[in-house]
Amino acid sequence: MKVHLRALGCRLNEAELETWTREFAAQGHSLCRTGEGADLVVVNTCAVTDEAVRKSRQLLRRIHRANPSARLVVSGCYVSLDPATPTTLPGVDLVVANQDKARLVEIVSERFDLPLMPSIAIESDAHLLLARGRQRAFIKVQDGCRYQCTFCIVTQARGPERSRPPGEIVAEINAYHREGIQEVVLTGVHLGGYGSESGSDISDLIRSVLKETAIPRIRLGSLEPWDLPDGFWSLFETPRLMPHLHLPLQSGSDSLLRRMARRCKSDEYRRLLQTGRSALPDLNVSTDIIVGFPGETDDEWCQTMEFVEECGFGQIHIFSFSPRAGTKAAGLPNPVPEPVKRERARALADLAQRLRGETLNRHIGQQFPVLIEGRLVGEGKHWPGYTPNFLRVELASATSEDLCNRILEVEIHGINENGTLAGFLPSPAGGR
Ligand code: SF4
């Protein structure tokens, strides 16, 4: 069978897609890059906002219109929150809810009686990440969340916390490493909740990955700024654990954080950053901020702007609040007028850009091991990649060698107009 897989939304959806890709390939099915030529299409939907739901529905319609004969399987948060509606969408043959995702390939194979041809599997490596131009693998380690932030629908869509056994995660990482992948991202819904149901924690998992794999670079996906176990920062003593953390703050105002039912208030967040930065001078922290949460006063907004300035984030993802049906926040009074939201988002974007500039400037003149992730199209002499603390670099090198997927020492000598770091190879190999 020719199988096409698509994921919308978060890294967890992407990680699940990677696992299904490998499982279909292991059964001897071939993977195709578009839906047009496929016999079977699997879509991993998103429902984090009403807009995400609209996009999920739009994609399903588009895929069916482009290839009405293909079997269409739908999974993900959209179908888990609203199992009935998708079955009414044209062309949908099967719905697999989030709680059954781990068995999706098995369920699909049984339902459509797919032929099993494992012998063919070894002939093609098209399913391999590198073959698809990817140098970083997302590894799902955990699912679900026990918290109830008032704006969040994910906790309903993904259910209670559950963690994959460390042995399974280590085996998957070793398989990727054998294929040439040099960097993995451990990802989950509530990564800090890893092991909560078995008395272990995210630090135990990271220790297992460091001990039982030789993968050169390990990143952590988005991490709620609480539930970080003791000794967490000492894990970063090894250069294999990347000093970048995405710690969603959402707001800098404690009164607003209370209305969001967030577990971390500004003081705890401040202390977390101080501890992290004293342990890791290169630590780069990025975050999420919701603009225009119901009832957000001018004063609360000022508190957010002042606190963001104090935190000095390397990057800020700005989300303009939109009520998500099914969340507590959707029913809260005093919506912030759209023009006010736009004005606040613009002001925060300006601040974010200034803080990012300051972060980039601190890296000029320094040298970092950069994982090269391809060659910039059209220019041929620039190779993009990321520093360990997740700052994008464009390496200038006229070499004829293929530098893709290599970890190279790069010296930073400036900032490009597009906001990336400008680098060159200090060694004679690529020299300025
Ligand atoms: S901790 Fe994260 S996933 Fe859990 S409810 Fe809050 S925002 Fe949602």
Side-chain angles (χ1 to χ4, degrees), residues 107-400:
I107 294 169
V108 170
S109 304
E110 273 167 25
R111 168 65 71 84
F112 302 131
D113 194 21
L114 299 187
L116 286 185
M117 307 158 289
S119 59
I120 297 179
I122 51 180
E123 284 158 12
S124 147
D125 62 359
H127 64 285
L128 300 179
L129 276 185
L130 291 174
R132 291 186 285 124
R134 295 265 316 277
Q135 286 75 27
R136 173 179 312 114
F138 298 133
I139 310 291
K140 175 180 179 174
V141 301
Q142 181 272 354
D143 206 340
C145 178
R146 76 189 95 140
Y147 298 105
Q148 303 289 330
C149 301
T150 57
F151 54 82
C152 181
I153 198 75
V154 178
T155 185
Q156 294 172 44
R158 293 232 174 216
E161 290 178 14
R162 51 221 189 272
S163 308
R164 289 178 69 198
E168 210 180 277
I169 295 164
V170 163
E172 185 176 352
I173 293 173
N174 283 332
Y176 275 124
H177 193 209
R178 279 194 299 277
E179 286 167 15
I181 290 290
Q182 307 201 74
E183 184 169 302
V184 293
V185 183
L186 308 184
T187 188
V189 171
H190 179 40
L191 205 49
Y194 181 86
S196 59
E197 72 277 28
S198 60
S200 77
D201 61 35
I202 188 70
S203 289
D204 296 333
L205 174 64
I206 295 170
R207 278 190 210 96
S208 301
V209 172
L210 288 169
K211 187 158 166 270
E212 297 160 39
T213 81
I215 194 101
R217 294 161 70 111
I218 302 157
R219 288 190 186 283
L220 298 180
S222 182
L223 196 59
E224 297 294 359
W226 61 78
D227 285 351
L228 299 184
D230 298 342
F232 175 73
W233 297 109
S234 64
L235 293 166
F236 290 84
E237 282 158 12
T238 165
R240 294 174 59 205
L241 191 55
M242 303 289 108
H244 164 247
L245 291 178
H246 186 76
L247 301 169
L249 171 67
Q250 307 297 6
S251 170
S253 152
D254 288 346
S255 53
L256 217 156
L257 287 168
R258 258 187 294 282
R259 296 205 299 281
M260 290 176 169
R262 296 289 286 171
R263 312 278 305 191
C264 181
K265 302 298 182 288
S266 58
D267 245 6
E268 292 133 318
Y269 199 96
R270 179 183 289 115
R271 280 199 300 277
L272 182 68
L273 285 196
Q274 284 164 349
T275 312
R277 285 177 173 149
S278 58
L280 306 169
D282 271 352
L283 178 66
N284 174 25
V285 177
S286 56
T287 197
D288 298 338
I289 301 282
I290 294 175
V291 175
F293 190 80
E296 185 181 65
T297 63
D298 290 349
D299 188 35
E300 287 173 330
W301 180 245
C302 288
Q303 289 167 21
T304 293
M305 290 292 277
E306 283 161 18
F307 191 62
V308 163
E309 169 99 40
E310 178 193 326
C311 293
F313 293 112
Q315 182 143 28
I316 303 175
H317 299 168
I318 302 171
F319 299 92
S320 223
F321 177 80
S322 63
R324 175 61 177 91
T327 64
K328 281 204 192 96
L332 289 176
N334 308 322
V336 175
E338 287 305 320
V340 175
K341 262 193 229 172
R342 277 197 296 278
E343 177 45 38
R344 288 176 182 171
R346 192 199 51 70
L348 181 57
D350 290 349
L351 173 58
Q353 193 168 9
R354 177 163 60 76
L355 295 176
R356 179 151 182 88
E358 290 166 9
T359 299
L360 296 179
N361 269 316
R362 283 197 298 274
H363 292 72
I364 296 176
Q366 297 191 50
Q367 202 169 304
F368 297 94
V370 170
L371 171 61
I372 303 297
E373 301 188 14
R375 180 193 289 235
L376 284 184
V377 180
E379 295 185 28
K381 289 196 295 302
H382 284 82
W383 305 78
Y386 285 87
T387 61
N389 61 358
F390 209 54
L391 296 173
R392 190 168 171 84
V393 177
E394 288 182 3
L395 165 66
S397 170
T399 178
S400 57

